[in-house]
PDB file of all heavy atoms in Angstrom:
ATOM      1  N   ARG A  47     -16.112   6.573   2.756  1.00  0.00           N
ATOM      2  CA  ARG A  47     -15.251   5.702   2.102  1.00  0.00           C
ATOM      3  C   ARG A  47     -15.661   5.334   0.673  1.00  0.00           C
ATOM      4  O   ARG A  47     -14.898   5.222  -0.239  1.00  0.00           O
ATOM      5  CB  ARG A  47     -15.310   4.232   2.705  1.00  0.00           C
ATOM      6  CG  ARG A  47     -14.448   4.272   4.060  1.00  0.00           C
ATOM      7  CD  ARG A  47     -14.458   2.896   4.832  1.00  0.00           C
ATOM      8  NE  ARG A  47     -14.015   1.807   4.092  1.00  0.00           N
ATOM      9  CZ  ARG A  47     -12.636   1.513   3.972  1.00  0.00           C
ATOM     10  NH1 ARG A  47     -11.785   2.294   4.584  1.00  0.00           N
ATOM     11  NH2 ARG A  47     -12.371   0.534   3.163  1.00  0.00           N
ATOM     12  N   LEU A  86      -0.152   6.001   8.852  1.00  0.00           N
ATOM     13  CA  LEU A  86       1.147   6.435   8.645  1.00  0.00           C
ATOM     14  C   LEU A  86       2.025   5.221   8.234  1.00  0.00           C
ATOM     15  O   LEU A  86       1.818   4.234   8.999  1.00  0.00           O
ATOM     16  CB  LEU A  86       1.813   7.298   9.847  1.00  0.00           C
ATOM     17  CG  LEU A  86       1.210   8.541  10.174  1.00  0.00           C
ATOM     18  CD1 LEU A  86       1.844   9.276  11.257  1.00  0.00           C
ATOM     19  CD2 LEU A  86       1.092   9.514   8.911  1.00  0.00           C
ATOM     20  N   PRO A  88       4.893   2.976   8.967  1.00  0.00           N
ATOM     21  CA  PRO A  88       5.736   2.936  10.145  1.00  0.00           C
ATOM     22  C   PRO A  88       7.191   2.876   9.849  1.00  0.00           C
ATOM     23  O   PRO A  88       8.066   3.226  10.633  1.00  0.00           O
ATOM     24  CB  PRO A  88       5.304   1.670  10.970  1.00  0.00           C
ATOM     25  CG  PRO A  88       4.510   0.847   9.971  1.00  0.00           C
ATOM     26  CD  PRO A  88       3.955   1.797   8.977  1.00  0.00           C
ATOM     27  N   HIS A  89       7.479   2.300   8.645  1.00  0.00           N
ATOM     28  CA  HIS A  89       8.991   2.040   8.294  1.00  0.00           C
ATOM     29  C   HIS A  89       9.610   3.323   7.570  1.00  0.00           C
ATOM     30  O   HIS A  89      10.733   3.419   7.260  1.00  0.00           O
ATOM     31  CB  HIS A  89       9.094   0.902   7.434  1.00  0.00           C
ATOM     32  CG  HIS A  89       8.345   0.976   6.196  1.00  0.00           C
ATOM     33  ND1 HIS A  89       6.867   1.033   6.000  1.00  0.00           N
ATOM     34  CD2 HIS A  89       8.674   0.936   4.890  1.00  0.00           C
ATOM     35  CE1 HIS A  89       6.472   1.138   4.912  1.00  0.00           C
ATOM     36  NE2 HIS A  89       7.568   1.167   4.043  1.00  0.00           N
TER      37      HIS A  89
ATOM     38  N   LEU B 184      -3.316   1.230   5.722  1.00  0.00           N
ATOM     39  CA  LEU B 184      -1.912   1.624   4.989  1.00  0.00           C
ATOM     40  C   LEU B 184      -2.130   1.479   3.540  1.00  0.00           C
ATOM     41  O   LEU B 184      -1.659   2.255   2.744  1.00  0.00           O
ATOM     42  CB  LEU B 184      -0.763   0.735   5.534  1.00  0.00           C
ATOM     43  CG  LEU B 184      -0.369   0.983   6.953  1.00  0.00           C
ATOM     44  CD1 LEU B 184       0.851   0.196   7.351  1.00  0.00           C
ATOM     45  CD2 LEU B 184      -0.172   2.519   7.212  1.00  0.00           C
ATOM     46  N   GLU B 186      -4.789   1.239   1.873  1.00  0.00           N
ATOM     47  CA  GLU B 186      -5.851   2.241   1.341  1.00  0.00           C
ATOM     48  C   GLU B 186      -5.285   3.635   1.080  1.00  0.00           C
ATOM     49  O   GLU B 186      -5.526   4.188   0.073  1.00  0.00           O
ATOM     50  CB  GLU B 186      -7.012   2.143   2.303  1.00  0.00           C
ATOM     51  CG  GLU B 186      -7.889   0.939   2.225  1.00  0.00           C
ATOM     52  CD  GLU B 186      -8.971   0.916   3.184  1.00  0.00           C
ATOM     53  OE1 GLU B 186      -8.971   1.799   4.083  1.00  0.00           O
ATOM     54  OE2 GLU B 186      -9.782  -0.011   3.150  1.00  0.00           O
ATOM     55  N   LEU B 190      -5.078   5.522  -2.480  1.00  0.00           N
ATOM     56  CA  LEU B 190      -5.586   6.829  -2.754  1.00  0.00           C
ATOM     57  C   LEU B 190      -4.519   7.664  -3.281  1.00  0.00           C
ATOM     58  O   LEU B 190      -4.843   8.709  -4.022  1.00  0.00           O
ATOM     59  CB  LEU B 190      -6.029   7.452  -1.319  1.00  0.00           C
ATOM     60  CG  LEU B 190      -7.386   7.117  -0.869  1.00  0.00           C
ATOM     61  CD1 LEU B 190      -7.695   7.648   0.376  1.00  0.00           C
ATOM     62  CD2 LEU B 190      -8.480   7.696  -1.905  1.00  0.00           C
ATOM     63  N   ARG B 201       6.901  -0.926  -1.766  1.00  0.00           N
ATOM     64  CA  ARG B 201       7.325   0.208  -0.900  1.00  0.00           C
ATOM     65  C   ARG B 201       6.621   0.124   0.428  1.00  0.00           C
ATOM     66  O   ARG B 201       7.224   0.708   1.466  1.00  0.00           O
ATOM     67  CB  ARG B 201       6.712   1.540  -1.435  1.00  0.00           C
ATOM     68  CG  ARG B 201       7.363   1.988  -2.775  1.00  0.00           C
ATOM     69  CD  ARG B 201       8.798   2.482  -2.667  1.00  0.00           C
ATOM     70  NE  ARG B 201       8.909   3.436  -1.517  1.00  0.00           N
ATOM     71  CZ  ARG B 201       8.761   4.745  -1.528  1.00  0.00           C
ATOM     72  NH1 ARG B 201       8.450   5.329  -2.606  1.00  0.00           N
ATOM     73  NH2 ARG B 201       8.815   5.548  -0.364  1.00  0.00           N
ATOM     74  N   HIS B 288      12.904  -3.326   9.413  1.00  0.00           N
ATOM     75  CA  HIS B 288      12.228  -2.359  10.357  1.00  0.00           C
ATOM     76  C   HIS B 288      11.473  -3.148  11.334  1.00  0.00           C
ATOM     77  O   HIS B 288      10.482  -3.959  10.975  1.00  0.00           O
ATOM     78  CB  HIS B 288      11.262  -1.547   9.496  1.00  0.00           C
ATOM     79  CG  HIS B 288      10.225  -0.699  10.442  1.00  0.00           C
ATOM     80  ND1 HIS B 288      10.490   0.223  11.085  1.00  0.00           N
ATOM     81  CD2 HIS B 288       9.028  -1.250  10.740  1.00  0.00           C
ATOM     82  CE1 HIS B 288       9.302   0.487  11.846  1.00  0.00           C
ATOM     83  NE2 HIS B 288       8.412  -0.333  11.558  1.00  0.00           N
TER      84      HIS B 288
END
Side-chain angles (χ1 to χ4, degrees):
Chain A
R47 290 175 59 84
L86 299 179
H89 58 297
Chain B
L184 292 188
E186 288 174 351
L190 272 173
R201 295 285 319 269
H288 163 78

